[in-house]
Amino acid sequence: MERTPGVDRDSLSRPDRPNWWIVALVWAVPATIAVLQSLAQAMYSARGAGARDWIQAVAQFPRYMLWAPLTPLIFAAVRRFPFERPGLARSIAVHACIALVCIAFVEAVSVQLQGQLISAVIDRPRAMQGRVMLFPAFGSWLGIGVVTYSAVVAIASALDYQRRLRDEAVRVAHLQRDLSEAQVQAIK
C-alpha cells in the first residue's frame, strides 16, 4: 500500500496532545490579565493598595497557571466522555465531578501558596502561619472555576471535533483513491 503525501498514519491513530509549552503560554495570558485586574482593583479602592493587596494580586498568576497541568487531563476526559447523545447525562455528571476536583485542587494549592506568601512578606504571628481558610476562598472561586473548566472543555471539544472531521476527510480520500485504483484495474 502506497503512502499518501502529507498524511501520517501514526498521527491519525493517536489523539492530539497539546505541547506543554503551548499550554503554559496560553494559560499565562489569563493569569497575567487576572494579576493586572486585581492590581487595578486594589489601586483604585478607597483604601489604596497595601502589601496584602499586592500579594493577593500576584497570587492570581499561580492560581491560573495551576490549570496548565490539568489541561491535558481535561482534554483526555473530553475524548473519553464526549458530549454526544448516547451517554450525554453520564458525560455531564463525569465532567461535573472532574470540574469540582480540579477546582478544589487549584484552590487548595493557590490558597496555601497565598498564605505562605503573606506569612513570608507580612509579619504575622507564628500561630497563624499554617492556618489558611480554604472553604471561603473555594466558595468565592467556585463560579470562576466552573467557567474556567467549561472554557477548557469547550476548546477541547472543538479541537476533538476538528480532529474527527480531518480523520474522516483522510478516510474518504483513501477510499476515493482505492476506488480510482480499482476502476483502473477493472479497465485494464
Side-chain angles (χ1 to χ4, degrees):
M1 183 169 146
E2 68 184 63
R3 290 182 64 99
T4 306
V7 176
D8 180 14
R9 285 197 174 273
D10 293 334
S11 69
L12 297 177
S13 63
R14 71 176 193 276
D16 295 337
R17 295 182 190 151
N19 293 329
W20 282 102
W21 68 272
I22 293 174
V23 171
L25 186 62
V26 167
W27 276 109
V29 173
T32 303
I33 291 170
V35 168
L36 294 174
Q37 177 187 9
S38 187
L39 282 174
Q41 188 176 10
M43 301 273 281
Y44 292 111
S45 70
R47 59 182 164 74
R52 180 180 290 269
D53 295 325
W54 282 92
I55 291 170
Q56 288 175 341
V58 171
Q60 298 303 312
F61 195 84
R63 172 176 271 127
Y64 281 92
M65 291 306 291
L66 283 168
W67 284 96
L70 298 174
T71 299
L73 301 173
I74 297 169
F75 271 51
V78 168
R79 280 191 302 273
R80 177 73 174 92
F81 303 101
F83 292 100
E84 295 174 348
R85 236 341 144 177
L88 180 62
R90 178 177 173 227
S91 292
I92 291 172
V94 167
H95 282 286
C97 292
I98 294 171
L100 288 176
V101 169
C102 289
I103 294 166
F105 168 75
V106 167
E107 289 310 309
V109 172
S110 64
V111 166
Q112 288 297 330
L113 178 64
Q114 184 176 351
Q116 294 299 321
L117 284 171
I118 290 172
S119 296
V121 175
I122 300 173
D123 249 346
R124 292 189 354 181
R126 288 271 183 216
M128 292 295 291
Q129 284 186 351
R131 242 176 69 207
V132 176
M133 298 298 287
L134 174 62
F135 293 108
F138 180 75
S140 67
W141 280 88
L142 181 62
I144 292 172
V146 168
V147 170
T148 304
Y149 182 86
S150 299
V152 174
V153 166
I155 292 168
S157 296
L159 291 175
D160 191 50
Y161 182 72
Q162 179 186 22
R163 181 189 55 81
R164 285 188 280 153
L165 285 178
R166 185 180 63 236
D167 291 350
E168 183 64 22
V170 168
R171 189 181 73 75
V172 167
H174 285 296
L175 288 174
Q176 288 176 341
R177 185 199 66 212
D178 292 345
L179 178 62
S180 297
E181 288 174 1
Q183 289 173 340
V184 168
Q185 290 298 328
I187 291 172
K188 287 181 180 179

